[in-house]
Short mmCIF file of all heavy atoms in Angstrom, two decimals:
data_model
loop_
_atom_site.label_atom_id
_atom_site.label_comp_id
_atom_site.label_asym_id
_atom_site.label_seq_id
_atom_site.Cartn_x
_atom_site.Cartn_y
_atom_site.Cartn_z
N MET D 1 73.00 35.12 149.64
CA MET D 1 73.36 35.02 148.25
C MET D 1 72.30 34.18 147.53
O MET D 1 72.03 33.05 147.89
CB MET D 1 74.73 34.34 148.16
CG MET D 1 75.33 34.45 146.78
SD MET D 1 76.93 33.64 146.64
CE MET D 1 77.93 34.54 147.77
N ASN D 2 71.64 34.76 146.53
CA ASN D 2 70.60 34.08 145.76
C ASN D 2 71.19 33.53 144.47
O ASN D 2 71.24 34.23 143.47
CB ASN D 2 69.47 35.05 145.42
CG ASN D 2 68.27 34.85 146.29
OD1 ASN D 2 68.18 33.86 146.99
ND2 ASN D 2 67.36 35.80 146.24
N GLN D 3 71.62 32.31 144.48
CA GLN D 3 72.15 31.70 143.27
C GLN D 3 71.16 30.66 142.77
O GLN D 3 70.58 29.91 143.53
CB GLN D 3 73.50 31.04 143.53
CG GLN D 3 74.61 32.02 143.74
CD GLN D 3 75.95 31.31 143.82
OE1 GLN D 3 76.00 30.13 144.11
NE2 GLN D 3 77.02 32.04 143.57
N THR D 4 70.99 30.65 141.44
CA THR D 4 70.10 29.69 140.82
C THR D 4 70.95 28.59 140.20
O THR D 4 71.91 28.87 139.48
CB THR D 4 69.26 30.36 139.72
OG1 THR D 4 68.54 31.43 140.33
CG2 THR D 4 68.28 29.39 139.11
N ILE D 5 70.58 27.36 140.47
CA ILE D 5 71.28 26.23 139.87
C ILE D 5 70.60 25.92 138.54
O ILE D 5 69.40 25.69 138.49
CB ILE D 5 71.23 25.00 140.79
CG1 ILE D 5 71.92 25.33 142.11
CG2 ILE D 5 71.87 23.81 140.12
CD1 ILE D 5 71.78 24.27 143.15
N GLN D 6 71.37 25.94 137.48
CA GLN D 6 70.83 25.70 136.14
C GLN D 6 71.27 24.33 135.66
O GLN D 6 72.43 23.96 135.80
CB GLN D 6 71.29 26.77 135.16
CG GLN D 6 70.65 26.63 133.80
CD GLN D 6 70.97 27.80 132.90
OE1 GLN D 6 71.60 28.75 133.30
NE2 GLN D 6 70.54 27.73 131.67
N THR D 7 70.33 23.58 135.10
CA THR D 7 70.60 22.25 134.58
C THR D 7 70.41 22.27 133.08
O THR D 7 69.47 22.86 132.57
CB THR D 7 69.62 21.23 135.20
OG1 THR D 7 69.72 21.31 136.61
CG2 THR D 7 69.93 19.84 134.75
N THR D 8 71.30 21.60 132.38
CA THR D 8 71.21 21.48 130.93
C THR D 8 71.08 20.01 130.60
O THR D 8 71.82 19.18 131.13
CB THR D 8 72.48 22.04 130.25
OG1 THR D 8 72.65 23.38 130.66
CG2 THR D 8 72.37 21.98 128.76
N SER D 9 70.14 19.69 129.74
CA SER D 9 70.00 18.31 129.30
C SER D 9 69.69 18.29 127.80
O SER D 9 69.16 19.24 127.25
CB SER D 9 68.90 17.59 130.08
OG SER D 9 67.68 18.24 129.93
N ILE D 10 70.09 17.21 127.17
CA ILE D 10 69.87 17.04 125.73
C ILE D 10 68.97 15.83 125.53
O ILE D 10 69.24 14.76 126.08
CB ILE D 10 71.21 16.85 125.00
CG1 ILE D 10 72.10 18.08 125.20
CG2 ILE D 10 70.99 16.58 123.52
CD1 ILE D 10 73.50 17.93 124.67
N HIS D 11 67.90 16.04 124.78
CA HIS D 11 66.94 14.97 124.51
C HIS D 11 66.77 14.86 123.00
O HIS D 11 66.53 15.85 122.33
CB HIS D 11 65.59 15.26 125.16
CG HIS D 11 65.67 15.34 126.64
ND1 HIS D 11 65.54 14.25 127.44
CD2 HIS D 11 65.91 16.39 127.46
CE1 HIS D 11 65.67 14.62 128.70
NE2 HIS D 11 65.90 15.92 128.73
N LYS D 12 66.91 13.66 122.47
CA LYS D 12 66.73 13.45 121.04
C LYS D 12 65.44 12.65 120.84
O LYS D 12 65.27 11.58 121.39
CB LYS D 12 67.92 12.69 120.46
CG LYS D 12 67.86 12.58 118.97
CD LYS D 12 69.18 12.16 118.39
CE LYS D 12 69.00 12.18 116.88
NZ LYS D 12 70.21 12.40 116.19
N ILE D 13 64.55 13.23 120.05
CA ILE D 13 63.27 12.59 119.74
C ILE D 13 63.18 12.56 118.23
O ILE D 13 63.09 13.60 117.58
CB ILE D 13 62.09 13.36 120.36
CG1 ILE D 13 62.24 13.43 121.88
CG2 ILE D 13 60.77 12.70 119.97
CD1 ILE D 13 61.23 14.30 122.57
N GLY D 14 63.24 11.37 117.66
CA GLY D 14 63.28 11.24 116.21
C GLY D 14 64.57 11.84 115.69
O GLY D 14 65.65 11.54 116.18
N ARG D 15 64.45 12.72 114.71
CA ARG D 15 65.64 13.39 114.17
C ARG D 15 65.85 14.78 114.76
O ARG D 15 66.70 15.51 114.29
CB ARG D 15 65.52 13.48 112.65
CG ARG D 15 65.63 12.11 111.99
CD ARG D 15 65.78 12.23 110.50
NE ARG D 15 64.47 12.48 109.91
CZ ARG D 15 64.28 12.90 108.68
NH1 ARG D 15 65.30 13.12 107.89
NH2 ARG D 15 63.06 13.08 108.22
N THR D 16 65.09 15.12 115.78
CA THR D 16 65.20 16.43 116.41
C THR D 16 65.90 16.30 117.76
O THR D 16 65.54 15.45 118.56
CB THR D 16 63.82 17.06 116.61
OG1 THR D 16 63.15 17.11 115.35
CG2 THR D 16 63.93 18.46 117.17
N THR D 17 66.88 17.15 117.99
CA THR D 17 67.58 17.17 119.27
C THR D 17 67.18 18.44 120.01
O THR D 17 67.25 19.53 119.46
CB THR D 17 69.10 17.16 119.06
OG1 THR D 17 69.45 15.99 118.32
CG2 THR D 17 69.84 17.13 120.40
N TYR D 18 66.75 18.26 121.25
CA TYR D 18 66.32 19.37 122.09
C TYR D 18 67.37 19.62 123.16
O TYR D 18 67.76 18.69 123.87
CB TYR D 18 64.98 19.08 122.76
CG TYR D 18 63.85 18.93 121.79
CD1 TYR D 18 63.51 17.68 121.26
CD2 TYR D 18 63.12 20.03 121.38
CE1 TYR D 18 62.48 17.55 120.35
CE2 TYR D 18 62.08 19.90 120.48
CZ TYR D 18 61.77 18.66 119.97
OH TYR D 18 60.74 18.54 119.08
N HIS D 19 67.85 20.84 123.28
CA HIS D 19 68.73 21.26 124.36
C HIS D 19 67.83 22.00 125.35
O HIS D 19 67.31 23.07 125.03
CB HIS D 19 69.84 22.18 123.86
CG HIS D 19 70.77 21.51 122.92
ND1 HIS D 19 71.95 20.94 123.33
CD2 HIS D 19 70.69 21.27 121.60
CE1 HIS D 19 72.56 20.41 122.30
NE2 HIS D 19 71.81 20.59 121.23
N VAL D 20 67.65 21.43 126.52
CA VAL D 20 66.72 21.99 127.50
C VAL D 20 67.52 22.58 128.66
O VAL D 20 68.36 21.92 129.25
CB VAL D 20 65.75 20.90 128.03
CG1 VAL D 20 64.79 21.50 129.03
CG2 VAL D 20 65.01 20.25 126.88
N PHE D 21 67.26 23.85 128.93
CA PHE D 21 67.88 24.53 130.05
C PHE D 21 66.80 24.75 131.10
O PHE D 21 65.73 25.28 130.80
CB PHE D 21 68.44 25.89 129.61
CG PHE D 21 69.49 25.76 128.54
CD1 PHE D 21 69.13 25.82 127.21
CD2 PHE D 21 70.81 25.56 128.88
CE1 PHE D 21 70.09 25.69 126.22
CE2 PHE D 21 71.77 25.43 127.89
CZ PHE D 21 71.40 25.49 126.56
N SER D 22 67.06 24.31 132.31
CA SER D 22 66.08 24.50 133.37
C SER D 22 66.77 24.98 134.62
O SER D 22 67.93 24.67 134.87
CB SER D 22 65.33 23.18 133.63
OG SER D 22 66.24 22.16 133.99
N ALA D 23 66.05 25.75 135.38
CA ALA D 23 66.59 26.29 136.64
C ALA D 23 65.60 26.00 137.75
O ALA D 23 64.39 26.17 137.58
CB ALA D 23 66.82 27.78 136.52
N ALA D 24 66.12 25.53 138.86
CA ALA D 24 65.26 25.23 140.00
C ALA D 24 64.97 26.52 140.76
O ALA D 24 65.84 27.38 140.89
CB ALA D 24 65.93 24.23 140.92
N GLY D 25 63.78 26.64 141.21
CA GLY D 25 63.39 27.82 141.98
C GLY D 25 62.34 27.43 143.00
O GLY D 25 61.71 26.37 142.90
N THR D 26 62.12 28.26 143.93
CA THR D 26 61.16 27.93 144.99
C THR D 26 59.72 28.01 144.49
O THR D 26 58.86 27.33 145.02
CB THR D 26 61.33 28.88 146.19
OG1 THR D 26 61.20 30.23 145.73
CG2 THR D 26 62.68 28.70 146.84
N ARG D 27 59.47 28.81 143.46
CA ARG D 27 58.10 28.95 142.96
C ARG D 27 57.88 28.21 141.65
O ARG D 27 56.84 28.34 141.03
CB ARG D 27 57.77 30.43 142.79
CG ARG D 27 57.81 31.16 144.11
CD ARG D 27 57.51 32.63 144.07
NE ARG D 27 57.30 33.22 142.78
CZ ARG D 27 57.46 34.48 142.51
NH1 ARG D 27 57.87 35.29 143.45
NH2 ARG D 27 57.24 34.96 141.31
N LYS D 28 58.82 27.44 141.19
CA LYS D 28 58.69 26.70 139.93
C LYS D 28 57.84 25.45 140.17
O LYS D 28 58.00 24.75 141.16
CB LYS D 28 60.06 26.27 139.40
CG LYS D 28 61.05 27.40 139.24
CD LYS D 28 60.71 28.25 138.06
CE LYS D 28 61.77 29.33 137.94
NZ LYS D 28 61.54 30.28 136.95
N THR D 29 56.94 25.18 139.22
CA THR D 29 56.09 24.00 139.36
C THR D 29 56.20 23.07 138.15
O THR D 29 55.67 21.98 138.18
CB THR D 29 54.61 24.41 139.53
OG1 THR D 29 54.22 25.18 138.39
CG2 THR D 29 54.41 25.23 140.79
N GLU D 30 56.88 23.49 137.10
CA GLU D 30 56.96 22.72 135.87
C GLU D 30 58.10 21.70 135.97
O GLU D 30 59.22 22.04 136.31
CB GLU D 30 57.19 23.65 134.69
CG GLU D 30 57.17 22.98 133.35
CD GLU D 30 57.31 23.98 132.22
OE1 GLU D 30 58.16 24.87 132.30
OE2 GLU D 30 56.55 23.85 131.26
N THR D 31 57.81 20.43 135.66
CA THR D 31 58.84 19.40 135.65
C THR D 31 59.57 19.42 134.32
O THR D 31 59.12 20.03 133.35
CB THR D 31 58.23 18.01 135.85
OG1 THR D 31 57.39 17.71 134.74
CG2 THR D 31 57.44 17.91 137.15
N LEU D 32 60.70 18.75 134.26
CA LEU D 32 61.48 18.68 133.04
C LEU D 32 60.67 18.03 131.92
O LEU D 32 60.67 18.49 130.78
CB LEU D 32 62.78 17.91 133.27
CG LEU D 32 63.72 17.78 132.09
CD1 LEU D 32 64.15 19.17 131.60
CD2 LEU D 32 64.93 16.96 132.47
N GLU D 33 59.93 16.99 132.24
CA GLU D 33 59.10 16.31 131.25
C GLU D 33 58.03 17.23 130.68
O GLU D 33 57.78 17.24 129.48
CB GLU D 33 58.45 15.05 131.84
CG GLU D 33 59.43 13.94 132.15
CD GLU D 33 60.18 14.14 133.46
OE1 GLU D 33 59.77 14.99 134.28
OE2 GLU D 33 61.20 13.46 133.64
N LYS D 34 57.41 18.02 131.54
CA LYS D 34 56.37 18.96 131.09
C LYS D 34 56.97 20.06 130.23
O LYS D 34 56.37 20.51 129.26
CB LYS D 34 55.63 19.58 132.28
CG LYS D 34 54.73 18.60 132.99
CD LYS D 34 53.57 18.22 132.11
CE LYS D 34 52.63 17.29 132.84
NZ LYS D 34 51.53 16.86 131.99
N LYS D 35 58.19 20.51 130.57
CA LYS D 35 58.84 21.54 129.78
C LYS D 35 59.14 21.02 128.38
O LYS D 35 58.90 21.71 127.39
CB LYS D 35 60.12 22.01 130.46
CG LYS D 35 60.82 23.12 129.70
CD LYS D 35 61.96 23.70 130.48
CE LYS D 35 62.53 24.89 129.71
NZ LYS D 35 63.55 25.59 130.48
N ILE D 36 59.66 19.80 128.29
CA ILE D 36 59.95 19.21 126.98
C ILE D 36 58.67 19.07 126.17
O ILE D 36 58.64 19.41 124.98
CB ILE D 36 60.66 17.85 127.14
CG1 ILE D 36 62.06 18.06 127.74
CG2 ILE D 36 60.76 17.12 125.80
CD1 ILE D 36 62.75 16.80 128.15
N GLU D 37 57.62 18.59 126.80
CA GLU D 37 56.33 18.45 126.12
C GLU D 37 55.83 19.80 125.60
O GLU D 37 55.38 19.91 124.46
CB GLU D 37 55.31 17.85 127.08
CG GLU D 37 53.96 17.59 126.47
CD GLU D 37 52.99 16.98 127.47
OE1 GLU D 37 53.43 16.28 128.40
OE2 GLU D 37 51.78 17.21 127.31
N ARG D 38 55.97 20.85 126.41
CA ARG D 38 55.54 22.19 126.01
C ARG D 38 56.37 22.70 124.82
O ARG D 38 55.82 23.27 123.87
CB ARG D 38 55.67 23.15 127.20
CG ARG D 38 55.24 24.56 126.90
CD ARG D 38 55.27 25.44 128.14
NE ARG D 38 56.50 25.40 128.90
CZ ARG D 38 57.61 26.10 128.58
NH1 ARG D 38 57.60 26.90 127.53
NH2 ARG D 38 58.68 26.02 129.33
N LEU D 39 57.67 22.45 124.85
CA LEU D 39 58.54 22.88 123.75
C LEU D 39 58.21 22.15 122.46
O LEU D 39 58.22 22.75 121.38
CB LEU D 39 60.00 22.68 124.13
CG LEU D 39 60.54 23.56 125.25
CD1 LEU D 39 61.94 23.12 125.65
CD2 LEU D 39 60.54 25.01 124.84
N ILE D 40 57.92 20.86 122.55
CA ILE D 40 57.57 20.08 121.36
C ILE D 40 56.26 20.60 120.76
O ILE D 40 56.15 20.79 119.55
CB ILE D 40 57.48 18.58 121.68
CG1 ILE D 40 58.88 18.04 122.01
CG2 ILE D 40 56.85 17.81 120.53
CD1 ILE D 40 58.88 16.64 122.56
N LYS D 41 55.27 20.84 121.60
CA LYS D 41 53.99 21.35 121.12
C LYS D 41 54.16 22.71 120.45
O LYS D 41 53.56 22.98 119.41
CB LYS D 41 52.99 21.45 122.27
CG LYS D 41 52.47 20.11 122.72
CD LYS D 41 51.50 20.26 123.87
CE LYS D 41 50.98 18.92 124.34
NZ LYS D 41 50.05 19.06 125.47
N LYS D 42 55.01 23.56 121.04
CA LYS D 42 55.27 24.88 120.45
C LYS D 42 55.91 24.73 119.08
O LYS D 42 55.52 25.41 118.13
CB LYS D 42 56.18 25.68 121.38
CG LYS D 42 56.54 27.05 120.85
CD LYS D 42 57.48 27.76 121.81
CE LYS D 42 57.94 29.07 121.22
NZ LYS D 42 58.95 29.72 122.05
N GLU D 43 56.87 23.84 118.96
CA GLU D 43 57.53 23.64 117.67
C GLU D 43 56.57 23.09 116.63
O GLU D 43 56.60 23.50 115.46
CB GLU D 43 58.72 22.69 117.83
CG GLU D 43 59.49 22.51 116.54
CD GLU D 43 60.72 21.66 116.71
OE1 GLU D 43 61.28 21.62 117.81
OE2 GLU D 43 61.13 21.02 115.73
N ILE D 44 55.70 22.19 117.02
CA ILE D 44 54.71 21.63 116.09
C ILE D 44 53.79 22.73 115.59
O ILE D 44 53.49 22.82 114.40
CB ILE D 44 53.92 20.48 116.76
CG1 ILE D 44 54.83 19.27 116.96
CG2 ILE D 44 52.69 20.11 115.93
CD1 ILE D 44 54.22 18.18 117.80
N ARG D 45 53.32 23.60 116.50
CA ARG D 45 52.45 24.71 116.09
C ARG D 45 53.17 25.64 115.12
O ARG D 45 52.60 26.05 114.11
CB ARG D 45 51.99 25.50 117.32
CG ARG D 45 50.83 24.90 118.06
CD ARG D 45 50.23 25.87 119.07
NE ARG D 45 51.20 26.38 120.01
CZ ARG D 45 51.51 25.81 121.18
NH1 ARG D 45 50.92 24.68 121.52
NH2 ARG D 45 52.41 26.35 121.98
N GLU D 46 54.41 25.98 115.43
CA GLU D 46 55.17 26.89 114.56
C GLU D 46 55.42 26.27 113.18
O GLU D 46 55.31 26.94 112.16
CB GLU D 46 56.49 27.27 115.22
CG GLU D 46 56.31 28.19 116.41
CD GLU D 46 57.60 28.46 117.16
OE1 GLU D 46 58.65 27.88 116.81
OE2 GLU D 46 57.56 29.24 118.12
N THR D 47 55.73 24.98 113.15
CA THR D 47 55.96 24.28 111.88
C THR D 47 54.68 24.23 111.06
O THR D 47 54.70 24.46 109.86
CB THR D 47 56.49 22.86 112.14
OG1 THR D 47 57.69 22.95 112.90
CG2 THR D 47 56.79 22.14 110.84
N ALA D 48 53.56 23.95 111.72
CA ALA D 48 52.28 23.89 111.02
C ALA D 48 51.92 25.26 110.44
O ALA D 48 51.43 25.36 109.32
CB ALA D 48 51.19 23.41 111.96
N ASP D 49 52.16 26.32 111.22
CA ASP D 49 51.88 27.68 110.74
C ASP D 49 52.73 28.01 109.52
O ASP D 49 52.25 28.57 108.54
CB ASP D 49 52.12 28.71 111.84
CG ASP D 49 51.06 28.67 112.93
OD1 ASP D 49 49.98 28.08 112.69
OD2 ASP D 49 51.32 29.24 114.01
N LYS D 50 54.01 27.65 109.56
CA LYS D 50 54.90 27.93 108.42
C LYS D 50 54.44 27.18 107.18
O LYS D 50 54.45 27.72 106.09
CB LYS D 50 56.35 27.53 108.77
CG LYS D 50 57.00 28.46 109.74
CD LYS D 50 58.40 27.97 110.07
CE LYS D 50 59.03 28.80 111.17
NZ LYS D 50 60.33 28.28 111.58
N GLN D 51 54.04 25.92 107.33
CA GLN D 51 53.58 25.13 106.19
C GLN D 51 52.28 25.68 105.66
O GLN D 51 52.06 25.70 104.45
CB GLN D 51 53.43 23.66 106.60
CG GLN D 51 54.75 22.98 106.84
CD GLN D 51 54.59 21.54 107.30
OE1 GLN D 51 53.49 21.10 107.60
NE2 GLN D 51 55.70 20.83 107.37
N LEU D 52 51.41 26.14 106.52
CA LEU D 52 50.13 26.69 106.11
C LEU D 52 50.35 27.95 105.28
O LEU D 52 49.76 28.11 104.22
CB LEU D 52 49.26 27.02 107.31
CG LEU D 52 47.91 27.66 107.03
CD1 LEU D 52 47.01 26.67 106.30
CD2 LEU D 52 47.25 28.13 108.30
N PHE D 53 51.22 28.84 105.72
CA PHE D 53 51.46 30.08 105.00
C PHE D 53 52.27 29.88 103.74
O PHE D 53 52.13 30.61 102.78
CB PHE D 53 52.14 31.12 105.90
CG PHE D 53 51.21 31.64 106.98
CD1 PHE D 53 51.51 31.47 108.30
CD2 PHE D 53 50.03 32.29 106.65
CE1 PHE D 53 50.66 31.95 109.31
CE2 PHE D 53 49.17 32.76 107.62
CZ PHE D 53 49.48 32.59 108.96
N SER D 54 53.14 28.87 103.69
CA SER D 54 53.94 28.64 102.50
C SER D 54 53.13 27.95 101.40
O SER D 54 53.48 28.01 100.24
CB SER D 54 55.18 27.80 102.82
OG SER D 54 54.80 26.50 103.21
N ALA D 55 52.01 27.31 101.76
CA ALA D 55 51.16 26.63 100.79
C ALA D 55 50.28 27.60 100.02
O ALA D 55 49.78 27.28 98.95
CB ALA D 55 50.30 25.59 101.48
N GLU D 56 50.08 28.79 100.54
CA GLU D 56 49.19 29.76 99.90
C GLU D 56 49.87 30.55 98.83
O GLU D 56 50.98 30.75 98.69
CB GLU D 56 48.60 30.70 100.95
CG GLU D 56 47.69 29.96 101.90
CD GLU D 56 47.16 30.88 102.99
OE1 GLU D 56 47.59 32.04 103.10
OE2 GLU D 56 46.30 30.43 103.74
#
């Protein structure tokens, strides 16, 4: 039986709350801290893109 254990955690940074879902696997190499960092960077890029296009 191949069951994946999924973990949910909530992290609040400033006024933003992140709900992080992670699943352990045999081939996974990303830590929870790295996943949060990646999600924050993605959100910053998306926010910057939206502000750039709305300014034009």
Side-chain angles (χ1 to χ4, degrees):
M1 192 181 298
N2 257 348
Q3 288 187 339
T4 302
I5 299 172
Q6 185 172 356
T7 304
T8 303
S9 59
I10 299 173
H11 298 271
K12 187 165 183 153
I13 300 173
R15 291 191 280 165
T16 304
T17 302
Y18 296 91
H19 295 265
V20 180
F21 300 92
S22 58
T26 56
R27 297 180 356 203
K28 306 286 182 185
T29 58
E30 185 176 44
T31 64
L32 181 59
E33 291 80 15
K34 289 292 183 183
K35 182 172 185 173
I36 293 170
E37 183 179 332
R38 180 175 51 81
L39 292 172
I40 292 170
K41 287 179 181 179
K42 178 182 175 186
E43 183 176 332
I44 290 171
R45 279 192 305 271
E46 289 174 357
T47 302
D49 288 344
K50 287 178 187 175
Q51 289 178 351
L52 178 66
F53 290 119
S54 66
E56 294 177 352

